[in-house]
Amino acid sequence: PTSKVFALNIPELCSSCHADAGRMEPYGIPTNQFEIYSKSVHGVALLDNKDVRAPSCASCHGSHDAQPPTSTNVVEVCGK
């Protein structure tokens, strides 16, 4: 539970870079993803309800070389 890659900690780990405007500006990536995720059904399940089965950022985007999910990816990932 104290590991940065423990399920409950992944969104905070991702936001440690993705909330940094200086790092994200060159890529045109918004910095409010953690805020949006934390209010989503998945974020509430993981962060508020401590349900480690709930999807985190890496569940859909992977951990590196992430791409925005497409409708095909959503069907493939969420369908499982």
Side-chain angles (χ1 to χ4, degrees):
T2 60
S3 170
K4 289 183 179 184
V5 294
F6 181 65
L8 298 177
N9 302 330
I10 289 175
E12 184 177 340
L13 174 62
C14 294
S15 73
S16 67
C17 290
H18 283 277
D20 183 329
R23 287 186 180 182
M24 296 300 108
E25 192 274 330
Y27 307 101
I29 297 174
T31 56
N32 62 342
Q33 295 95 338
F34 180 80
E35 180 183 342
I36 293 168
Y37 173 78
S38 66
K39 294 175 183 175
S40 74
V41 65
H42 298 313
V44 169
L46 184 71
L47 302 172
D48 295 345
N49 300 337
K50 310 298 185 213
D51 183 352
V52 296
R53 300 168 300 167
S56 69
C57 312
S59 300
C60 297
H61 298 283
S63 56
H64 294 98
D65 194 32
Q67 299 293 321
T70 64
S71 60
T72 304
N73 295 16
V74 171
V75 170
E76 291 172 4
V77 173
C78 295
K80 295 177 184 177

